[in-house]
Amino acid sequence: MKIRLFHKLVAVMLAVSLIPIALLGYRLISIGQLGVKTAILELHLNMAERIAGDFRAYVDRVDTRMNFVMDAMRKMDWENKQALLASLVDTNPELKEVSVLSGEGRELVKVLGPSLKGGTELRSYAKDPSYRAMRTSKKRTLRFDSSSGTAGSALGGQHNSSLMPSSGAEMLFFYPFPKNVRSSSAGPMVMSSSAGPLSFRVSVTLDKFAAIRKLEKIGGTGFPVVIDAAGRPIAFPPDVEAGELAGIKDWPISKTALSALATGSSEYEDARGRVQIGAYAPIAEPGGAVIVKQSREEAFRYALFMQRDAFYAILAFALLVLV
């Protein structure tokens, strides 16, 4: 069957008209999509880095206060030490609990925040991993803790495996006192000097932390989440359902974030098989990371809309040429 000359002419004209437009349109759409995707990823990266930076600044503020208090306590007897600790807790509502530990890890004196009910008994933290690390390194140690109360920390730092909102999470600090500050028989706390140097334990609640209280969702599927060094969620927006965090320890982005040294972004599938995009920022101290995730479909909806509309425009132009 021979093709008529007219039909050949139409086919050639159609190809000459459509191919350059299609190539140019594809290139322009690709540039536009790249710009949209870059802007969204930068938004996620900036949010993750800001939250991680707020944690670093928060830790620095706590360190500054505690170093000042420990330096002041070097010159005080036990009665004044207790008064100083009480004043410290009263003027810093984010402090849940402050205690002085003996060289054996047992509390000598403890001051509780006004929001705590009970827990006045003196505990031993000799088996707490952060306390042991502090004694070994002779440097300040800290960690996230998502247990519902201080008892969990006293039992070797055990964590509640359930998902905890920010109101149930805290940061635990262990500080070594200067070498010349030791327990003695002077004052109400009778301890042998052979027990070793004193240490300082501070529990800081996260529900007073502005960066945590301002966590909110991004669109319909996006949200930031703070995870600890084991990949457990520590803080996230209150309107995020528990199912959205299912298997978070096994998310590829969680594993990448916990081993990363700098901020980054990635695309992955969650436990439900949905494609997600996300950004992360590691938190060196107390260990963990900030993850900002959002479904790829929602995040790149405008870019996909551009691609679909461009296809329709080319199809319409082809029909006009044929007509």
Side-chain angles (χ1 to χ4, degrees), residues 67 70-71 74 175-182 197-199:
N67 288 329
M70 287 188 295
D71 185 63
R74 296 170 59 183
Y175 294 89
F177 265 97
K179 292 182 179 180
N180 62 333
V181 181
R182 302 174 65 87
L198 300 178
S199 54

Side-chain angles (χ1 to χ4, degrees), residues 123-239:
R123 302 179 182 276
S124 173
Y125 294 89
K127 296 182 179 180
D128 190 292
S130 296
Y131 171 78
R132 296 165 69 94
M134 180 271 298
R135 289 297 305 271
T136 301
S137 65
K138 295 180 174 56
K139 296 180 180 179
R140 187 266 290 136
T141 60
L142 69 153
R143 73 166 191 268
F144 283 121
D145 189 86
S146 57
S147 57
S148 57
T150 56
S153 302
L155 299 175
Q158 296 296 319
H159 294 267
N160 191 332
S161 61
S162 62
L163 301 178
M164 297 295 296
S166 59
S167 59
E170 59 188 34
M171 285 194 292
L172 297 179
F173 295 74
F174 288 87
Y175 294 89
F177 265 97
K179 292 182 179 180
N180 62 333
V181 181
R182 302 174 65 87
S183 54
S184 68
S185 58
M189 302 298 168
V190 181
M191 287 293 295
S192 170
S193 60
S194 62
L198 300 178
S199 54
F200 209 41
R201 179 183 179 275
V202 181
S203 171
V204 181
T205 182
L206 293 182
D207 61 357
K208 304 293 184 182
F209 185 20
I212 293 296
R213 299 179 67 179
K214 293 179 180 178
L215 294 181
E216 57 185 17
K217 294 191 69 173
I218 306 169
T221 62
F223 60 87
V225 56
V226 181
I227 59 176
D228 64 10
R232 290 178 288 250
I234 291 295
F236 46 89
D239 50 350

Side-chain angles (χ1 to χ4, degrees), residues 34-56:
L34 180 61
V36 172
K37 293 178 180 179
T38 301
I40 293 172
L41 289 177
E42 282 189 4
L43 173 65
H44 291 178
L45 281 168
N46 290 338
M47 180 179 293
E49 177 59 30
R50 176 181 57 79
I51 297 173
D54 288 342
F55 268 100
R56 290 191 291 269

Side-chain angles (χ1 to χ4, degrees), residues 57-70 175:
Y58 196 52
V59 170
D60 289 342
R61 288 198 299 271
V62 174
D63 283 346
T64 300
R65 293 173 189 170
M66 296 307 112
N67 288 329
F68 172 80
V69 169
M70 287 188 295
Y175 294 89

Side-chain angles (χ1 to χ4, degrees), residues 282-294:
I283 304 175
E285 291 184 308
V290 179
I291 295 174
V292 180
K293 52 88 67 178
Q294 189 174 14

